[in-house]
Amino acid sequence: MNDILIPVGVLAGLGLFFGIVLAIAAKAFAVKTDERIEAITELLPGANCGGCGYSGCAQLAEAIAKGEAKPNACSVGGNAVAKAIGRIMGVEAERTVRERAQVMCSGTGNLATKKYVYRGVADCVAAQQLGGGDKLCSYGCIGLGTCVAACPYDAIEVVDGVAVVDSRKCRGCGACVRSCPRGLIEMIPYGATQWVACKSQEKGAATRAQCRVGCIGCRICERNCPEKAIEVSNFLAKIDYSKCTGCNICVEKCPQKTIWSAKIDSGRLVITREMPKEKVK
Amino acid sequence: MSFTDILLIMFGVILVENFIFSKFLGICPFLGVSEKPATALGMGMAVVFVITLASGATWAVYYLLLEPLGLEYLRTVAFILVIAALVQFIEMFLRKFVPALYSAMGIYLPLITTNCAVLGTALLNIQKGYNFITSVCFGFAAATGFTIAIVIFAGLRARIDEAEMPRAFRGFPITLIAAGLLAMAFAGFSGISFA
């Protein structure tokens, strides 16, 4: 009988002893934490994408609880999360505008000319260091997918040499914006239906020699915009979304087909862009 | 045991009988937490900390409690209990008194509770009949060997991530192949004898 009772007793005793020690330790070593931090962490999406500028959701929650960050700092959670966090913090959260990432380049395989064949490490930063990438245009998309790897929501795909953001999957965290070595990706309002898909600041003739669809800075869009929402500087058009009404005149007038358009069809963004003719060799 | 003996045991368990490459202990964190050298180092440091303390604690439990009662066969169960409680205790202790260390390795500590390298060290200490000092030194060296292995491997993986790779090998397959190659490299140490 003892052969059974002693081992059972010893193990149970050990367990009880450790249990008591841990229970005492939990009381003795208790650290006062702000219970709001936990509540806010629960509310945040938990993807740890870093879009807010903090290393993860828990760190943002801590910053919000301390008052260092605003309740609406999480662009991914959007208005609903900002409101709920505002309720915990006892403040009215400002409305956030949902944004999406847009790659500002249209220079796909047969439209942008290449200067060499790149066979190195499949990473844009690496290619950028090798003579500024394989495209003649030193502003365009390198297309090796550094942003694809950076996207925590699997929303980016490289199609024919240019990264494309799937607007349905994009949560607007901005991780890709920070990852792109060329700063090609911009955050634009989710509902924006016109954008200048080029970043080239070369003069018109130089852009034309490098790419069939680059912005040549001709100012036709600037002159034709009824709202004065487009401004050309450094041979590149830029749309001011606070003025843009989405009338589509710039898209129709653009001789290079650099300005893209889309329409929102039952909540989805559908690109209605007119494709330029292929490059004449 | 003399000082030289202890040094030889430590050197042996770091290189020749490396826990990961020749004993196949702690493979889970080796593959799971080796994506970046910095996190690998954090995990390694946490393992060093826990294994060293657990070696001492389990030695004490075995020789002061289990052996006098003739319950040697209970050691596996008892050690699991001791290690789990110890890790919990360390976590609370660090959180209160050394917050800097806690934030550096806090997230790894709960993972280590079930790391078989910790239990393996404790059981090996008993199997080899080490005394208290040797046990603690053996634990420390074993964990150091683990850390070296995981940091080297994390460096390799950082390079592999950038490399162009046939689709079938991408991700886990190439990771396992690289682990095998690294184990073979470490097998080179097995020729060293300390006679």
Side-chain angles (χ1 to χ4, degrees), chain A residues 15 24 31 47 50 59 64 87 101 108 122 131 152-153 159 170 186 203 205 212-213 217 220 242 260 264 268 278:
Chain A
I24 294 171
V31 181
Q59 283 73 25
I64 292 176
R87 217 171 295 133
T108 44
Y153 301 98
V159 180
C170 179
E186 277 183 19
K203 286 181 181 167
R212 171 65 191 81
V213 279
I220 290 176
S242 62
W260 289 37
I264 292 187
R268 282 184 180 180
E278 289 199 1

Side-chain angles (χ1 to χ4, degrees), chain A residues 34 36-50 52 54-66 68-69 74, chain B residues 107:
Chain A
D34 196 335
R36 290 181 304 182
I37 296 177
E38 215 155 292
I40 295 171
T41 314
E42 289 281 306
L43 286 169
L44 291 170
N48 295 317
C49 65
C52 51
Y54 293 87
S55 54
C57 294
Q59 283 73 25
L60 175 65
E62 210 179 315
I64 292 176
K66 278 187 194 157
E68 288 165 9
C74 179
Chain B
I107 47 167

Side-chain angles (χ1 to χ4, degrees), chain A residues 133-193:
Chain A
D134 60 352
K135 276 177 185 160
L136 265 182
C137 173
S138 60
Y139 296 91
C141 180
I142 300 173
L144 291 172
T146 295
C147 52
V148 175
C151 180
Y153 301 98
D154 200 19
I156 310 181
E157 192 181 10
V158 175
V159 180
D160 199 10
V162 173
V164 179
V165 182
D166 183 341
S167 60
R168 274 169 293 163
K169 291 185 190 165
C170 179
R171 308 295 306 156
C173 70
C176 53
V177 175
R178 288 185 294 277
S179 76
C180 179
R182 296 201 154 167
L184 258 183
I185 309 178
E186 277 183 19
M187 302 305 297
I188 62 175
Y190 190 80
T193 48

Side-chain angles (χ1 to χ4, degrees), chain B residues 61-183:
Chain B
V61 167
Y62 184 79
Y63 285 105
L64 301 180
L65 183 71
L66 297 183
E67 206 187 40
L69 292 171
L71 298 173
E72 287 91 345
Y73 63 92
L74 272 183
R75 60 178 179 245
T76 308
V77 188
F79 286 179
I80 290 174
L81 203 62
V82 173
I83 292 165
L86 183 71
V87 172
Q88 289 283 310
F89 187 80
I90 293 172
E91 198 183 342
M92 287 183 216
F93 182 83
L94 288 184
R95 200 166 166 195
K96 174 81 177 177
F97 295 107
V98 205
L101 204 58
Y102 177 77
S103 59
M105 56 190 209
I107 47 167
Y108 307 111
L109 279 174
L111 295 173
I112 296 172
T113 320
T114 48
N115 183 340
C116 61
V118 185
L119 183 64
T121 317
L123 292 173
L124 277 172
N125 279 330
I126 304 304
Q127 211 177 67
K128 299 194 177 206
Y130 290 153
N131 62 25
F132 183 74
I133 305 278
T134 318
S135 289
V136 173
C137 291
F138 178 80
F140 177 76
T144 309
F146 174 90
T147 308
I148 292 172
I150 194 171
V151 171
I152 292 177
F153 191 56
L156 275 182
R157 278 184 79 172
R159 300 288 290 262
I160 290 172
D161 270 357
E162 305 281 289
E164 219 167 339
M165 188 87 49
R167 211 181 176 88
F169 284 113
R170 255 174 238 171
F172 223 56
I174 192 66
T175 307
L176 289 176
I177 292 172
L181 290 174
L182 191 56

Side-chain angles (χ1 to χ4, degrees), chain A residues 55-136:
Chain A
S55 54
C57 294
Q59 283 73 25
L60 175 65
E62 210 179 315
I64 292 176
K66 278 187 194 157
E68 288 165 9
K70 285 187 172 175
N72 64 357
C74 179
S75 60
V76 175
N79 271 328
V81 169
K83 232 179 177 176
I85 293 175
R87 217 171 295 133
I88 292 177
M89 295 296 294
V91 289
E92 196 67 40
E94 295 158 35
R95 277 189 77 79
T96 55
V97 179
R98 185 177 172 193
E99 289 188 319
R100 66 184 173 88
Q102 176 64 49
V103 182
M104 297 303 186
C105 178
S106 346
T108 44
N110 46 23
L111 299 171
T113 315
K114 296 205 170 183
K115 56 186 173 199
Y116 66 89
V117 178
Y118 179 78
R119 283 206 192 283
V121 171
D123 180 78
C124 301
V125 182
Q128 164 84 11
Q129 285 164 352
L130 194 65
D134 60 352
K135 276 177 185 160
L136 265 182

